[in-house]
Each structure stands twice: as structure tokens, then as C-alpha cells.
Amino acid sequence: MTSETMYILAGVLLAALAMHRLCTARDALARILALNVLSVGIAMLMLLAGRVAGVTDAVPQAFVLTGIVVLVAVTAALLSLAERISGGDDD
Amino acid sequence: MTQLFDALLAVGIVGVAVAALFANDRFAAVGAFMVMGFLVALSWVRLGAPDVALAEAAIGAGLTGALLLRSARRLRVEPKMCQSRWSVAASGLISIGFAGLLYAAITSVPTVPAYPPLVAERLGESGVSNPVTAVLLNFRAWDTLLEIAVLFVALVLVIVVPVSRVRPAPLGEMVVPFAKVVVPLSVLISGHLLWQGADAPGGAFQAGAVLAGGGLALVLAGAMRLKKPLQGGILRATALSGLAVFGAAAVATAALTGHLLGYPDGQAKIWILGIEAVLTLAIAATLVLLFHGSVRRVPK
Amino acid sequence: MSTVLDILGTAMMTAGTGFLLMAAFAFWRLPDLLSRLHALTKADTAGVALIVCGAACMTSGIAAVLSLVLCGVLVALSGATTGHLIAQASLEDEERA
């Protein structure tokens, strides 16, 4: 098994486990965390898809970088919405 | 030998991800998530993508972890509803199918390099020699402009949704001296990453994330008080300046060359560095504001 | 000369890795938070410092050595500070409980 295959399997497992958790968790924090794990798995697969002959393509790298930055913004927005929903009664 | 290392790393990533997803304790889950981020960053270094690895370590693991830890105490813990066994089984089946589809898709990707020859051919004209920076700020600068717009929208959302603030506990006497050392270092490292992004791993996003780390140290040490209108205003204006300057650059290049973000011949490096310098400050300000959340004005 | 430095560097990196392994083992075996912190903060800092010194022996150029030293200093500082913060938070939790 080559190193690439191992990382592909890791990425697939990450995405699938996170998907399962996203479907079954009730806790908002657990869901947001699962969304983050899912995106890491997909990013791993994107990088590996653009890897030919031991060189990782720069274009998927740029996409993944964009994705990481967008995801932190989305996470912050989701967390503040979740906090608003969760803390609506104590003020 | 390196294959053994890769195998251990891959197993470690999946194991820590399971801990992050299925832990009962919130803090343990977030801790495992951060460890997973660092392990994934290490694996991306192994895959020859150090730019992305830097961003994942700083933003994906560090800042996202900080955000989740911040919210872990504020969010109410949902009462564990008894889930029907059928829905869990259905979700498991869906996830297995999803995994199969993903694996089939990834192994059927054509192994002919599509972009690398194109990137290599035009790299000389892009003004920088790091291909990732060339893609981000020259070939597909449009995407990056829209990404900054997304950051801005998220920031607006966080600002207009005030949360009932939990007063943070005082952090003790270690934090102020720590911030005194770390904040100047973060400015130094951020400038270094910004400058070397032109021809080595680095760039505006990594530099912005490091600077945001310094900013968070200032906030936590109580030196930056975003409740004060002046300091909060300056930070919000800095966050806004990224989108404003990038947009203005797009309009200016359209006027000069007829293409949006098509830089004039021979001046690409100046344009890219100028945009990146503003973006670094704007991204850092945005990330600090996203962490801090909005401030509700208390009527006197 | 370079072989001497290589051997020295490899030895230091091996020792550093040993320290980190011990830290991981301690984290796994020790019962409570404070004793874990006690083991982790020290073994971690020592391990990273040794690895940094080992790597510095094997690289050339002042810039690479300086950035390695910076890594070591940052790890030492943040390790000590976060260790202190975690311990303080756990003590406060105990008082509240």
C-alpha cells in the first residue's frame, strides 16, 4: 500500500465518521465540530486528487487554503448563532 | 521507513478524529480536534503542501480550537435524547455509502496532470515564484476576493448577533508577561511569512493568522479592550479595509488593463505584495473580532 | 567536522524524542490532571529543546538556526503559560465545586 492510499483511506474515514456524527449528534457544538472534521477529510482528498507523480498540484492547494479560511468564518458565525439560540433565556 | 511513518500518521489521524467526534466531555473533544488538526498539518507537509499545512495548523487547529473552547462553556449542553436505533443505523448506512462513493471518486480521478503544466508555464509572468501564491493572488485572484467577501459577511453576522456575554475569569499573572513576549514575536513572524510568501511557503492568510494569534493574546491579557469605541472602531475599520482595498484594486486593474485583477505587465509583484499586506492586517482584525464576538451596548 | 555534528545532532534528536515519548507515556498512565501537567510541561519543553538543538547541529546557515531557536523559545513559553492557566482553572473549578 502506498502512502497516498493510506492518506486517501484516512481522508475517506474522516469524512464518513464526521458525516455519521453530523447526522446523529444533537449537541450544537458536536455538530459544528463534526462539520470541521468533515471539511478536513474532504480537504485531504482534494489535495490527494491533485497529486500526480509525487507532486501536489498548486491549484487544489489554493482551493483548500481558501476553504480553511472560509470554514473558520463559518464556524465563528455558526457558534454565535448557536450561542444566541442556547442563551436566549438567561438575559 | 517513511511508509511506516505515513501509516502511523494516518492511523493516528483517524484515531484522534474518533476521539474528537465521539468523546463525551466537550473539552476532551475540542482538545482531540486540535491534535487532529496538527497531525493533519504534518501529513500535508509529507504530501508536499506546506502552505496549506501552515494554514491548517494556525487556522484550522489553532483558531478554530480557540473558538470551540470559547463556546464550549457558553453553550448549553443538549439533554441526551434517546435516539431511535433505526435512525442511527440509517445514518451509519448513509455514511458507509458516502465513504464508498468518495473512495470510488478519488480513485477514478485521471492521473494526467491538468493544472501543473499550465501553472508552470505562466509562473514567470505571475510576479511571484511560489505557485500557490501565484494561483491565489494572480491566476485565480477572483476567488480570493470572493473569499474575503465571505469573511466580511461572517463578521457582519457575528457583529449583528449579540450573545449574552459570559464574563471571562481573570487569567492570572502569567498572561501579561507572556503577551509582552509573544505579541512582538507574532508581528515579526507575520511580517516574515508575508514577505517570504512570494517565493516560499507563506502568504497573507498564514501571516494574518499568526498576527491574529498575537491579537488574541492582547485581548486575553486585557490590553486590547474592544468595548471601547475607539479601539473596537479601529479594529472594525481594519477588518473592512481588506475587502475595500481588494475591491478597489480589482476596479483599478480593470481600468488599467481591461481585466479584473489582471495586473499591468511587470508590476505584478508590487500589486500582489500591496494587496497581501492589507489583507494580512484585515484578516488578523477579522479573526480577532470573530473570536471576541459582538459587544452589546449596555444602556446606562 | 560535519560527521561529528551529524552524530551529535542525531543523538540529541533521539534523546529529545525519548523525552517526548516519556511525556506521552506519562499522559497516558498518570491518574489526575495536576500530575499529568507536572510531567508534560517539563518533559515536553526538554524534548523540544533537545530536538531543536539537534536540528540546529544538522542545518547550516544562521537564519535556519535562528528560526529553530525561535521555535524552541515559543514552545517553552507557551507550554509554561498554558500549563499554569490549566492548573489555575482546575483549582478554581475545585473551589467552586
Side-chain angles (χ1 to χ4, degrees):
Chain A
M1 199 152 62
T2 60
S3 300
E4 275 85 5
T5 322
M6 294 184 236
Y7 286 130
I8 285 177
L9 284 178
V12 166
L13 274 174
L14 240 59
L17 286 168
M19 193 75 177
H20 179 64
R21 195 65 183 145
L22 204 56
C23 293
T24 54
R26 302 197 66 87
D27 192 41
L29 193 90
R31 283 189 187 168
I32 295 169
L33 203 150
L35 186 71
N36 274 280
V37 176
L38 178 66
S39 87
V40 169
I42 299 292
M44 177 84 102
L45 293 179
M46 273 183 78
L47 284 180
L48 282 155
R51 188 169 164 83
V52 178
V55 180
T56 305
D57 193 347
V59 177
Q61 281 192 52
F63 289 166
V64 170
L65 231 166
T66 307
I68 290 171
V69 178
V70 166
L71 189 74
V72 76
V74 170
T75 305
L78 286 177
L79 283 173
S80 83
L81 286 176
E83 279 177 22
R84 181 72 176 152
I85 295 165
S86 158
D89 46 50
D90 59 36
D91 57 357
Chain B
M1 191 62 201
T2 55
Q3 227 173 4
L4 183 70
F5 181 76
D6 286 333
L8 276 176
L9 195 55
V11 171
I13 288 170
V14 176
V16 180
V18 169
L21 288 170
F22 296 97
N24 282 322
D25 179 48
R26 275 185 172 174
F27 291 96
V30 177
F33 173 74
M34 293 172 83
V35 174
M36 187 202 78
F38 291 121
L39 289 183
V40 165
L42 192 58
S43 77
W44 290 350
V45 172
R46 292 276 308 132
L47 289 173
D51 296 86
V52 195
L54 271 173
E56 171 65 22
I59 302 177
L63 282 168
T64 309
L67 275 170
L68 291 169
L69 279 180
R70 179 205 67 180
S71 295
R73 201 163 270 205
R74 291 192 199 164
L75 278 174
R76 198 172 49 208
V77 180
E78 290 291 316
K80 276 230 171 79
M81 306 277 277
C82 64
Q83 293 238 340
S84 86
R85 211 175 299 154
W86 289 110
S87 64
V88 173
S91 148
L93 275 180
I94 292 173
S95 304
I96 291 170
F98 178 59
L101 275 178
L102 271 182
Y103 187 77
I106 209 79
T107 45
S108 63
V109 168
T111 51
V112 183
Y115 299 117
L118 291 173
V119 173
E121 188 186 322
R122 293 299 185 99
L123 194 58
E125 299 169 26
S126 72
V128 290
S129 60
N130 176 1
V132 180
T133 305
V135 173
L136 273 176
L137 281 145
N138 197 335
F139 304 147
R140 297 198 60 96
W142 249 118
D143 290 350
T144 312
L145 175 58
L146 292 177
E147 173 190 357
I148 300 300
V150 171
L151 268 184
F152 178 68
V153 171
L155 180 62
V156 169
L157 196 146
V158 169
I159 287 178
V160 299
V161 180
V163 293
S164 53
R165 295 183 54 76
V166 178
R167 187 174 292 278
L171 282 175
E173 59 269 29
M174 284 284 277
V175 178
V176 172
F178 176 70
K180 276 184 184 162
V181 182
V182 164
V183 171
L185 278 179
S186 79
V187 175
L188 184 77
I189 295 171
S190 156
H192 173 68
L193 278 173
L194 172 66
W195 177 253
Q196 81 161 16
D199 45 26
F205 295 105
Q206 294 88 343
V210 171
L211 199 58
L216 289 190
L218 274 182
V219 170
L220 293 176
M224 204 197 290
R225 305 183 71 85
L226 298 179
K227 280 185 190 171
K228 290 191 174 164
L230 183 65
Q231 295 194 14
I234 288 173
L235 210 63
R236 279 195 289 275
T238 316
L240 178 60
S241 72
L243 187 59
V245 169
F246 210 164
V251 174
T253 48
L256 283 172
T257 64
H259 302 286
L260 271 181
L261 293 168
Y263 307 117
D265 281 338
Q267 295 176 14
K269 180 156 188 179
I270 304 276
W271 282 86
I272 289 178
L273 266 180
I275 292 173
E276 276 200 305
V278 178
L279 281 188
T280 302
L281 291 174
I283 290 166
T286 308
L287 292 172
V288 169
L289 284 170
L290 285 178
F291 178 82
H292 188 265
S294 72
V295 178
R296 185 183 287 173
R297 293 247 166 75
V298 183
K300 284 183 182 160
Chain C
M1 187 60 196
S2 72
T3 45
V4 177
L5 278 180
D6 273 354
I7 292 167
L8 194 67
T10 315
M12 281 206 262
M13 284 175 104
T14 315
T17 319
F19 267 98
L20 290 182
L21 270 177
M22 273 200 295
F25 184 74
F27 189 70
W28 177 41
R29 292 296 300 171
L30 288 179
D32 60 54
L33 188 128
L34 289 181
S35 47
R36 280 178 172 183
L37 268 180
H38 163 76
L40 267 186
T41 45
K42 277 131 211 154
D44 246 26
T45 311
V48 172
L50 273 171
I51 288 180
V52 160
C53 292
C57 287
M58 292 156 93
T59 50
S60 55
I62 189 85
V65 174
L66 271 181
S67 41
L68 278 169
V69 169
L70 193 61
C71 287
V73 168
L74 279 176
V75 166
L77 270 178
S78 53
T81 313
T82 47
H84 180 253
L85 282 176
I86 292 170
Q88 198 180 30
S90 88
L91 282 182
E92 274 166 17
D93 274 3
E94 266 173 30
E95 270 169 29
R96 213 172 294 152

